[in-house]
Amino acid sequence: METVKAAVNTIAVEPMKLSDLSQGIFQTVTEKSPNIGRVLDIGPANKKVLPFKDLAVGDVILSRNYGSTNFMVGGREVALVGYDDVVGRVI
């Protein structure tokens, strides 16, 4: 299966739906669901600090947006999220 290596200051994420998480974790206050995704790879930092120093592959993150950098790789959707777009982590 093909993999994705994130570039500098980016995180490769597999987008998820709110329903993919345990029931009751999130309750949205708007019609649009938050962007949620599972971390596939973390690119190297270039004079920036990771949003969470202990962020790891497999973690679930919340982000502002995925922009227009979504791709199909190995039959699954992959989004590239900038470090600055990460606003939270599901723990």
Side-chain angles (χ1 to χ4, degrees):
M1 178 182 246
E2 296 146 332
T3 59
V4 174
K5 289 295 286 177
V8 174
N9 296 334
T10 62
I11 301 170
V13 174
E14 181 176 18
M16 300 170 63
K17 294 179 181 162
L18 209 53
S19 60
D20 293 338
L21 298 176
S22 298
Q23 296 265 341
I25 290 180
F26 291 101
Q27 183 177 21
T28 60
V29 293
T30 64
E31 292 179 13
K32 186 176 180 183
S33 294
N35 290 316
I36 301 169
R38 186 166 313 278
V39 175
L40 301 174
D41 189 56
I42 302 168
N46 181 18
K47 299 182 182 179
K48 287 190 177 189
V49 179
L50 273 171
F52 301 94
K53 66 180 179 180
D54 56 349
L55 189 65
V57 171
D59 286 351
V60 176
I61 62 169
L62 305 170
S63 70
R64 286 189 189 100
N65 60 44
Y66 293 139
S68 60
T69 51
N70 287 32
F71 304 93
M72 292 300 291
V73 179
R76 67 179 173 180
E77 185 178 5
V78 175
L80 297 176
V81 178
Y83 284 2
D84 293 337
D85 292 325
V86 176
V87 295
R89 182 178 65 174
V90 178
I91 55 171

